[in-house]
Amino acid sequence: MSTESPEQNGKRDPFDYPRSWEADVVLSDGGTVHLRPVVPDDADNLVALHGRLSERSRYFRYFGAYPRIPARDLVRFSTVDHHDRVAFVALLGDDIVAVGRYERIDGGPTAEVAFVVDDAHQGRGLGSILLEHLAAAASEVGVPRFVAEVLAENSPMVRVFRDAGYQVSRAIEEGVLHLEFDIDPTEESLAVARSREQAAEGRSVHNLLHPRSVAVIGASTDPTKVGYVALTNLLSADFAGPVYPVNPEHRSVRGVRAYPSVMDIPDSVDLAVVAVPAEVVESVLDGALAKGVKTLLILSGGFGEAGPLGLHAELRLVGEARAHGMRVVGPNALGVLNTDPSIRLNATLAPRLPARGRTGFFCQSGALGTAILADAESRGLGLSTFVSAGNRADVSGNDLLQYWETDPNTDLVLLYLESFGNPRKFARLARRLARTKPVVAVKTGRHAVRPQLAATSTDIDEASVQALFEQAGVVRVESLDQLFDTALVLAHQPLPAGPRVAIVGNSSAIGLLAADTARAQGLRVAFEPVDVGPQAGPAEFAKAVSDLLNSPDVDALVVVFVPPLAIPGTAYARALREAVVAADNTTRDTEKPIVSTFLAVEGVPAELAVLSEDGSPTRGSIPSYSSPERAVNALARVVRYSAWRQRPQGTLIRPNGIHTQQAQEIVREILSAEDGKTTVLSDDDSVRLLGCYGIDVVPFRIVSSEDDAVAAAAELGYPVTLKAVDERLRGRPDLAGVRLDLSSEDSVRTSYQDLREVSGEDDVYVQRMAPKGLSCVIGLQDDPSFGTLVSFGLSGLISTLLGDRAYRAIPLTDMDAATLIREPKTAPLLTGYRGDEPADLAALQDMVLRVAALAEDTPEIRSLALDPILASPSGAFVANARIMLGAPPSRPDSGPRRLRPIIAPED
């Protein structure tokens, strides 16, 4: 039986709960609810929920009839201390549709957990979400274990616990199951949560892109108005469902019956396209909420992009929409489209529905969206779906990645990004998606660092930025031209098996230009470019192509062709197509991609296109580029992506001996003492925090006199080192602030006097001498694009001056850690360069993984430097650590499922 602590309950305000516990969450059907801790004011809503429950639901929850909630129980249910007794309510509008609670048993380490869900909302995944949030809250206050009593016949609730991924022990007595489990996240519980997150967020986007009906609120008869364009485009695309214009001043718009408000529409509405002035949108929202619209697409501008007042209106709008179960695209969006013949949705301001293809496109910029769609069409790149999210107040690129992962109609994903709302989540989703579907991204604003990141961000060279994108499997490009160049290869050609490229054409000069570009991009030119000569006919040209495609030494082919005057180019195109088809019908190890510079055409020339049923280019079409450099550069990006796909994935590993809860308590204690301000940890606090993750600092003492130095050396054990407390002196190349390998009392006394004279301070570090090794540094830092980065390099002035550091974004796999420590240019020194004994790379790799785990679990770490780490054949030894704590600059990708929080800016 659960009991509460009157002392604790008396001290804690039942209205005062951690605001971070509030969350908007997506349910399994794509709808949303708002989660927050219960407060006494919820009493009437709890009674209303109880009144809606069926007798069966009450019986399952209370093990009896329980027709009414007695007054004493109602107080107990609605008044909790948010520590030993915690309850979350799920709100849909003003109604509570589910409650989950735990109560600590006798003040010990175990709490009893229970749920109740409104009958009308059962089967939407509310029980699983409540369990995740309760477990996170319990972990935060030091409750490591849950128990539950469930009737054996209550199979839905049994499944909630069974399928959560925890190690659950079960016992049954008189028809009641007694379940017990530790709530520390396990690999299985995290995988379950991630899978459910993907399904729910993907479903919410599916609802957006597959509406059964669309209302255009603000449909206009004026051709210059957005509402006219939006309605016209929906009708012109021949949308598969009903379209309802909403205009209180006209009985019909564009020949379609209009309705005064969305509430007057007789049938349900899945998608509402809003094209009214910003100041009217809030009143429109009220009607949409009352109507039960699933998704709101706001084309109107005048919100966050217009200034602080507009931003407040935007946040208020999204908060209301989510609380009533609705997702929002925009504001200031170009719109969404779906070319599926069974949908034919063009809810954009672009005049034409693009050709059908298997490419999904997400674009933040509404202004660029129309140009992007026109460019895709001109180059012969068909689309499956397109979303221009504008201000991204709610639906973002991460939501689309979740959807495209399981969308059977999308094989390639293109992104035009200006910023990441949640960089860590983007990296995780992109890495998972890119294993099966290529992701190509234009990322602008790379050097536009947000003010809250300025203190802890570090400039990273472009090669390292490229490596970070490649770690996530994302093909990074610099411009829209490069985006489409690369997309054409990925959309129409197979992935190459390797980097060996052959070049064939009828111009030696252009062939050599292609070969030079290939070598510059790291490709291997299998043979010298094959020049068939300007007089060669189509047959000779086709034979040269066929020979190279069938060569076992070739992985990809570049065709550079300048049409001769005597023979039309179409004859060569036909010969090229026939050669490719013939090669496909022969026995080859694998398909080989082909790119071309053919007739100086950009995109897919009609002569080289393989057409789908609707006449658009499809798989097997050969892309053409205006120059051989562009053709080869596009191919090189595809080769690098293919190599990433072929590499072992690695495993997300959490090293043994990690004490997450203890570390979080230390962080909360320090930040609470500093009132949440950014602070540099003391030496003792750094040692405590690192120790929670199995990272030991070589033992040291801080002393203030000669005698204390001698005593500390004797305690630590000779040999020792003495170091000045001033970091500037310790880090000097001439080691002015360090005395090494001191093995006697006299040497300690002399060194203490020297350091006191150099530094002008009494305080000195005395540290046990670590085994001799190479000095390395492992660090953590913030990055505006990738979140927290782990860095590695060798210490020293030259490495620092040259920026010889390698970077990886968390989370890290074992493969990431292994490649990270081998990537710096000076890394060969660790592996026995010129006959030296190799350092213990396994120990360095383990330390990298521990630092990465610390960063992932503790987003409050703004920066960290383990410098120096002495890497020797006998291990890796941390001699010094510096850690800075502060408020996380962006939302971490950890904890229970939740949507990006709606946070109003400070006035």
Side-chain angles (χ1 to χ4, degrees), residues 887-905:
S890 60
R891 184 191 145 202
D893 184 35
S894 58
R897 286 174 280 163
R898 62 177 66 208
L899 287 171
R900 193 159 35 109
I902 302 167
I903 302 172

Side-chain angles (χ1 to χ4, degrees), residues 556-843:
L557 182 63
V558 179
V559 178
V560 290
F561 176 79
V562 178
L565 297 177
I567 305 172
T570 52
Y572 289 90
R574 188 162 50 250
L576 174 58
R577 285 288 323 134
E578 290 171 356
V580 172
V581 170
D584 285 341
N585 291 331
T586 62
T587 302
R588 289 191 286 129
D589 293 337
T590 182
E591 292 183 298
K592 299 174 182 180
I594 304 172
V595 296
S596 69
T597 299
F598 193 84
L599 303 175
V601 173
E602 276 194 52
V604 178
E607 299 89 349
L608 298 180
V610 176
L611 301 180
S612 62
E613 292 179 3
D614 63 0
S616 55
T618 187
R619 200 80 176 162
S621 300
I622 299 175
S624 175
Y625 301 87
S626 59
S627 70
E629 295 97 329
R630 284 178 60 178
V632 173
N633 286 335
L635 180 61
R637 295 183 200 104
V638 174
V639 168
R640 285 193 291 270
Y641 168 70
S642 181
W644 178 85
R645 280 262 291 254
Q646 293 170 34
R647 284 199 294 268
Q649 252 183 287
T651 306
L652 289 171
I653 290 177
R654 288 183 67 83
N656 295 325
I658 288 178
H659 304 286
T660 306
Q661 189 171 315
Q662 187 179 337
Q664 290 173 346
E665 288 171 0
I666 292 171
V667 169
R668 283 195 294 271
E669 169 196 322
I670 294 169
L671 288 179
S672 176
E674 297 292 334
D675 199 24
K677 296 177 182 175
T678 300
T679 181
V680 177
L681 268 60
S682 68
D683 291 322
D684 288 343
D685 285 338
S686 294
V687 170
R688 281 201 301 153
L689 184 56
L690 292 171
C692 295
Y693 281 77
I695 302 170
D696 296 324
V697 178
V698 177
F700 66 90
R701 302 287 183 270
I702 299 177
V703 300
S704 303
S705 69
E706 274 186 46
D707 291 340
D708 289 345
V710 170
E715 179 191 353
L716 294 169
Y718 288 102
V720 296
T721 179
L722 265 62
K723 300 187 290 187
V725 294
D726 189 330
E727 288 185 31
R728 293 170 299 179
L729 289 173
R730 293 203 307 269
R732 282 178 49 165
D734 61 1
L735 298 178
V738 180
R739 299 294 183 270
L740 300 172
D741 217 5
L742 308 177
S743 55
S744 68
E745 179 179 326
D746 288 343
S747 60
V748 169
R749 289 186 184 277
T750 302
S751 296
Y752 178 86
Q753 292 168 3
D754 289 347
L755 289 180
R756 189 178 182 283
E757 184 176 339
V758 168
S759 66
E761 297 184 43
D762 290 336
D763 287 349
V764 169
Y765 285 105
V766 180
Q767 188 169 41
R768 182 186 300 159
M769 193 73 186
K772 288 183 172 60
L774 287 166
S775 291
C776 306
V777 55
I778 295 173
L780 294 175
Q781 64 196 59
D782 293 321
D783 180 79
S785 295
F786 299 96
T788 301
L789 302 182
V790 182
S791 63
F792 176 80
L794 270 65
S795 300
L797 184 63
I798 293 177
S799 290
T800 302
L801 186 64
L802 297 178
D804 189 22
R805 295 281 186 274
Y807 299 88
R808 293 292 183 274
I810 63 170
L812 264 64
T813 66
D814 53 353
M815 288 297 297
D816 291 330
T819 56
L820 176 70
I821 62 176
R822 292 167 173 82
E823 192 168 292
K825 295 180 178 65
T826 48
L829 295 172
L830 296 168
T831 57
Y833 185 71
R834 291 190 174 177
D836 292 337
E837 191 174 357
D840 186 349
L841 295 184

Side-chain angles (χ1 to χ4, degrees), residues 114-136:
F115 310 93
V116 64
V117 179
D118 191 328
D119 287 65
H121 297 276
Q122 291 176 10
R124 302 184 70 198
L126 278 161
S128 301
I129 285 174
L130 285 167
L131 178 58
E132 286 182 33
H133 284 261
L134 285 169

